[in-house]
Amino acid sequence: MTLRSQLAKTVGKSSQWFLTNFTKGGSSLPGKLALKIDPHILDTLAKDYEVIVVTGTNGKTLTTALTVNVLKQEFDHVLTNPTGANMAQGIVSTFLSAKGNKNSKKFAVLEIDEASLSKVTEYIKPKLFLFTNIFRDQMDRYGEIYTTYKLIVDGAAKAPEATILANGDLPIFNSVETVNPREYYGFNHQEDSEMMAHYNTDGVLCPNCQHILHYKMITYSNLGKYYCANCDFKRPELDYQLTALGDMTNTSAAFTIDGEDYNIEVGGLYNVYNALSAAAIGEHYGVSADKIRKGLAYDEKVFGRQEVIEVDGKRCTLVLVKNPVGLNQVIDMIDLAPRPFSLVSLLNANYADGIDISWIWDGNHEAFADMAIPKVITGGDRRKDMSLRLTVAGIEDSIMTEAASFQEVIEEIKSAPTDDVFILATYTAVLQLRKELANQGYIKGGM
Amino acid sequence: MAEKVIRACHLYGNLLNTYGDNGNMLMMAHVAKQQGVAFESKIVSIYEEFNPDEFDFIFFGGGQDYEQTIVSKDLQTKKEALTQYIEDEGVILAICGGYQMLGHYYIGANGDKIPGISALDHYTESQEDNRFIGDVEIHNEAFNETYVGFENHNGVTYLGEGEKPLGTVTTGYGNNGKDNGEGAIYKNTFCSYLHGPILARNPHLAKRLVDIILDKKYAK
């Protein structure tokens, strides 16, 4: 370790100790200070770590959490970055906070935003990249799916030895050659039959010959056993396979991966993909099936992801939605609910939500019309847009209420005719609703 | 009396579906249904034949650059039929990429000049390192109607012969940020950069389109 990086580490660690003990802590300031003293501090800090990077549009947070939990069953030292701290200074802070440890194998599982990947691999050389998926997401900020994919491929290329472990069911992950070696995980749980993706789906063109892809099995969106009927482009061989899908409820799923049965305590097919990728990483590092099983049986809810809040006897499940593919998955998950429920849909259009709300028209809200929902509440700044969307989807106006404030949303929830309530909300609407719920004492410990 | 029906073509509906474009089709169906009119829709995509006699309405949306490049090649095979449909006063709503491709050309993401079908006399240049993003409000004098929406485009479009803008910009940038025009109208072809999508934000425009279609088809 050079004198400069030693100094950077000391200053970073001291400031972290100070912040933790005398303020609320959790700041990225220590990382910032350390980076200032030594821009290459990450080289030093991450040197002894097997770094795994999780990136992609949807599922980063839960995949990271599950992967950490799986690896922890086998290895003593597994570090991870808190949600949101995925820029360079946040990652430096993450490493600074690591407790000193012995010579055992040390892991760092880092959730990295697609656009930040290149900046991070400038300093850290990960050993494994996990690509969850690339979907259209907040297009006023990010680009098109092909641009986003290029960002992460270029980011990974800066650590060319590292393996890319990618979702094999997504055509884009097989569209270009990469300098990195690749492995794939995917679903192989159904007999082949002939189908096409729903017409309102992105990324269905064959990258070789630009014909529309066919499928022998589709899980959701454009994910599945794709092939081109015009050339030889098709889904690659899978290294890690989900071979059976068992009971799926809105709060759990059972499935078989590479001959082993697993369960997760969170609903939705999209979360089964997250579990599959975490199990694949476990297998990649030789973690036994028993330990993977324990790791996946993780039941701490991640912020805004199917969090359950009690409001005067109403069991409210809060789900963050931000793009059409995610929304459609949430709708399918809700459809598995065993008891009658009311629906709350909260739409904001602040920067963090995406200022363009046109994506609500690409989501399959039509499915709600078939679910016999007795009460629908819309809220948020763009509640009128949401009400119209639901009307056009076939929801009767007689069961719909527009709530002008978050207090009113909560009042309407209290008078809902069902014990179960599903609340779908964009990012800042989740924050505002939680704040109001905290004010009224429904969430302990404030935010 | 037999039930009235609007037969709609969602042109390249499986490739051009960005920015909630499909919402325009949903709104057309919704408004038609409110008037007791059935609405049938069919996608005509790449390598498929477009027959203008089959349809009373065409929706032509926009997509990602890659998909649009593929579509612009295929579109040349449908150029004659589409031009005939437009000249015969067939009703079209074209948004973003669809709007651009009905004109002479637009400039793709990598600077290439991508040909349209010159059915309308406009052309689209690109801006360097800039996009027009944000809320838009425009006013149409002839209809005395205001339309609102959201724009997100790098292209700057200049109208040509026979075309009038869909409206005069009161908020936002519009076609090119210079001449205060947004969108285009030529015969019964309506073009715009507004999404949100435009018909969901402006049900009165959907009603206008449905009325024009029904007039043309049934008022004889």
Side-chain angles (χ1 to χ4, degrees), chain A residues 315-326:
Chain A
R315 204 170 20 243
C316 303
T317 306
L318 181 57
V319 193
L320 175 75
V321 291
K322 54 174 186 159
N323 54 40
V325 173

Side-chain angles (χ1 to χ4, degrees), chain A residues 62 66 70 185-189 240-249 251-280 283 289 292-298:
Chain A
L62 191 68
L66 289 172
V70 163
Y185 59 91
F187 275 51
N188 236 348
H189 66 305
Y240 308 93
Q241 309 190 23
L242 185 144
T243 52
L245 197 55
D247 271 358
M248 295 268 293
T249 75
T251 55
S252 70
F255 43 86
T256 308
I257 297 169
D258 297 329
E260 297 289 339
D261 294 338
Y262 299 110
N263 283 287
I264 48 169
E265 296 307 312
V266 58
L269 195 61
Y270 59 113
N271 284 321
V272 177
Y273 267 103
N274 298 333
L276 170 59
S277 55
E283 282 191 50
I292 292 175
R293 208 166 355 259
K294 262 187 218 154
L296 294 182
Y298 169 92

